[in-house]
Amino acid sequence: MPSSQSCKVLIVGSGPAGYTAGVYAARAMLEPVLVQGIQPGGQLTITTEVENWPGDTEVQGPDLMQRMEAHAKAVGCEVVNDIITAINFDQRPFVAQSDSGTEYIADAIILATGARAKWLGLASEEKFKGFGVSACATCDGFFYRGQEIVVVGGGNTAVEEALFLTNFASKVTLVHRRDSLRAEKILQDRLFKNPKVSTLWHHEIIEVYGTENPLGVEGVKVRHTETGAVQSLPCKGFFVAIGHAPANELVKDVLPTHMGGYVVTKPDSTATTIPGVFAAGDLTDHIYRQAVTSAGMGCMAALETERFLAEHSGS
Ligand code: FAD
Ligand code: NAP
């Protein structure tokens, strides 16, 4: 049954940016409504140890996000399990449609839809997704006990995924297109010391191959970026960890974006080009993309929303 819900501020997204905005907006008595989206808790729910969240030497990503949700709820943020499908920004109050059929009517909106894994874009990658091809080691690593695994990428995610997968795999090969990683040095040290991991530099994935019936990965073909030489790497699991792209579907036609789709905000601010619409976290951040920076921007967005609503009350 379609229904409608009015609020002063609608927060779209339940990662560190969304929940932090929820805490600050609730404590400012704005009675925020936060819509969680398809991934309640955001990206940190698909990782294990987080070692750079201040105050926790080590914390499991899903635990941290549960605590953030509980905190937001405890101070009065209404957390709703729903997905926003479209927003009409033409006039205030803004009207957001959702998957459940509920229409959210909001005086201000904080967008905190974060980012999602990028894929290589190969037809064979698409074919074997869910049948040996994955972008989430914590979700799928368990299926590859005692098997060989290939991971592609050279950032923090690729190195963390490769290390995590050594808990299950007999061997993990990290394939990277250059000869140096952009991952943090502490993670690189762990990677190079791990006897189950080998690295293949200067190679790109050109094909995933496998069996048809049942559908399953048997290996990947890789090509040397300089010589062009092609070789096969047998594996049962292939993990893609080549970065993340902003989840900008709701706004890409109405808000300016840059650097591959990140929403542009005013300098030193979370304000977008639409008055009353603020954007925080990985959706706007092509540089840092950390939990703590996302949380910081969530705080900024709530404080700026509070100021905006105070200045525009009755308008
Ligand atoms: P996200 O966490 O991406 O959350 C986005 C939210 O938006 C989700 O809840 C989603 O459901 C919601 N959403 C999207 N679309 C809609 C919609 N249409 N309607 C409603 N809701 C919607 N950072 C660190 O600081 N330390 C780490 O150790 C670390 N480890 C990581 C490990 C992995 C495997 C990955 C992928 C990332 C890691 N990061 C880490 C980065 C960190 O997770 C992100 O910087 C952070 O989660 C971004 O927070 P966010 O709130 O902007 O968005
Ligand atoms: P990233 O830092 O953008 O790195 C992406 C990697 O994939 C790069 O090494 C890149 O190669 C490679 N790559 C990109 N496109 C490719 C393609 N088409 N084919 C082959 N390789 C490709 O992404 P990320 O590792 O997912 O990290 C995203 C953000 O989350 C970062 O800000 C990161 O710090 C953060 N994060 C933090 C932690 C942590 O703090 N522990 C953990 C995970 C993620 P090049 O190097 O050649 O460009």
Side-chain angles (χ1 to χ4, degrees), residues 109-126:
I109 292 189
I110 296 174
L111 300 162
T113 50
R116 293 196 193 101
K118 279 194 213 163
W119 295 94
L120 293 167
L122 301 170
S124 54
E125 170 194 60
E126 189 61 36

Side-chain angles (χ1 to χ4, degrees), residues 34-156:
L34 182 153
V35 175
Q36 288 181 305
I38 203 162
Q39 189 176 48
Q43 292 172 66
L44 284 187
T45 60
I46 59 160
T47 190
T48 49
E49 291 90 8
V50 174
E51 299 176 15
N52 50 18
W53 180 257
D56 285 311
T57 310
E58 185 182 303
V59 57
Q60 295 294 308
D63 291 347
L64 178 60
M65 296 319 299
Q66 274 178 11
R67 280 166 35 198
M68 284 195 205
E69 178 179 346
H71 187 172
K73 283 179 173 166
V75 292
C77 177
E78 183 178 343
V79 175
V80 186
N81 189 237
D82 201 352
I83 301 167
I84 299 298
T85 50
I87 306 176
N88 184 343
F89 293 103
D90 287 349
Q91 58 182 36
R92 278 203 321 123
F94 307 109
V95 180
Q97 308 296 335
S98 75
D99 201 43
S100 69
T102 301
E103 207 171 61
Y104 298 89
I105 301 165
D107 293 330
I109 292 189
I110 296 174
L111 300 162
T113 50
R116 293 196 193 101
K118 279 194 213 163
W119 295 94
L120 293 167
L122 301 170
S124 54
E125 170 194 60
E126 189 61 36
K127 174 176 171 180
F128 289 105
K129 260 186 206 169
F131 298 91
V133 172
S134 170
C136 178
T138 34
C139 319
D140 299 328
F142 187 71
F143 299 123
Y144 304 101
R145 277 160 295 165
Q147 314 271 21
E148 293 192 18
I149 289 177
V150 169
V151 178
V152 62
N156 278 336

Side-chain angles (χ1 to χ4, degrees), residues 168-239:
F168 312 100
S170 56
K171 179 183 174 194
V172 176
T173 305
L174 182 72
V175 177
H176 185 38
R177 61 188 180 183
R178 298 186 292 120
D179 65 353
S180 65
L181 302 170
R182 63 172 71 221
E184 286 171 27
K185 294 288 176 253
I186 189 170
L187 292 175
Q188 295 195 31
D189 279 355
R190 281 183 210 159
L191 186 87
F192 297 138
K193 280 184 190 150
N194 193 307
K196 279 192 180 176
V197 178
S198 67
T199 42
L200 188 61
W201 303 116
H202 287 301
H203 276 79
E204 58 192 0
I205 310 290
I206 54 170
E207 190 188 335
V208 185
Y209 61 88
T211 52
E212 290 295 328
N213 193 13
L215 206 55
V217 169
E218 291 292 328
V220 291
K221 281 189 184 157
V222 294
R223 181 167 54 209
H224 197 285
T225 53
E226 287 162 2
T227 66
V230 172
Q231 59 171 301
S232 294
L233 298 178
C235 64
K236 295 285 184 190
F238 171 54
F239 286 78

